């Protein structure tokens, strides 16, 4: 299951994490976000070497602004606290796996 991340634990959960972290920026009112959610959960179950997190942009607008999230869903891959790659919009699981280099 993906970890819900808030502003106060973002540093701990994402920036200071060892290994890759995939962060899904989403909102409950966003249809494509709801369609992507099961794929994100599936990745969390299958890719045990990658931390999968979710950020609700309505609850954490500062994080969305900090990372320049203009459209959702936006999925950002972080490594060592740095953004390595991103995907915007509803994409198939294969695209997210490619984002991870799989």
């Amino acid at each position: 299951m993906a970890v819900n991340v808030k502003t106060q634990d973002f540093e701990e959960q994402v920036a200071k994490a060892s290994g890759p972290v995939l962060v899904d920026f989403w909102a409950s009112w966003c249809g494509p976000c709801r369609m992507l959610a099961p794929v994100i959960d599936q990745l969390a179950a299958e890719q045990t070497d990658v931390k999968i997190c979710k950020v609700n942009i309505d609850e954490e607008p500062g994080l969305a602004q900090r990372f320049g999230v203009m459209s959702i869903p936006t999925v950002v891959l972080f490594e060592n606290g740095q953004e390595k790659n991103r995907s915007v919009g509803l994409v198939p699981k294969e695209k997210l796996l490619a984002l991870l280099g799989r």
Side-chain angles (χ1 to χ4, degrees), residues 84-101:
K84 293 294 181 193
N85 213 336
R86 79 168 46 199
S87 169
V88 179
L90 179 61
V91 295
K93 180 180 175 184
E94 294 72 29
K95 169 97 183 200
L96 296 176
L97 287 169
L99 198 70
L100 293 169

Side-chain angles (χ1 to χ4, degrees), residues 43-82:
L43 284 176
E46 295 172 359
Q47 305 297 318
T48 55
D49 60 329
V50 178
K51 184 181 232 179
I52 310 284
C53 299
K54 295 176 72 94
V55 173
N56 183 326
I57 65 158
D58 287 336
E59 294 173 3
E60 305 299 330
L63 286 175
Q65 185 177 15
R66 176 176 165 188
F67 295 103
V69 174
M70 304 299 280
S71 300
I72 52 172
T74 292
V75 179
V76 180
L77 174 65
F78 292 91
E79 286 183 20
N80 301 317
Q82 301 296 311

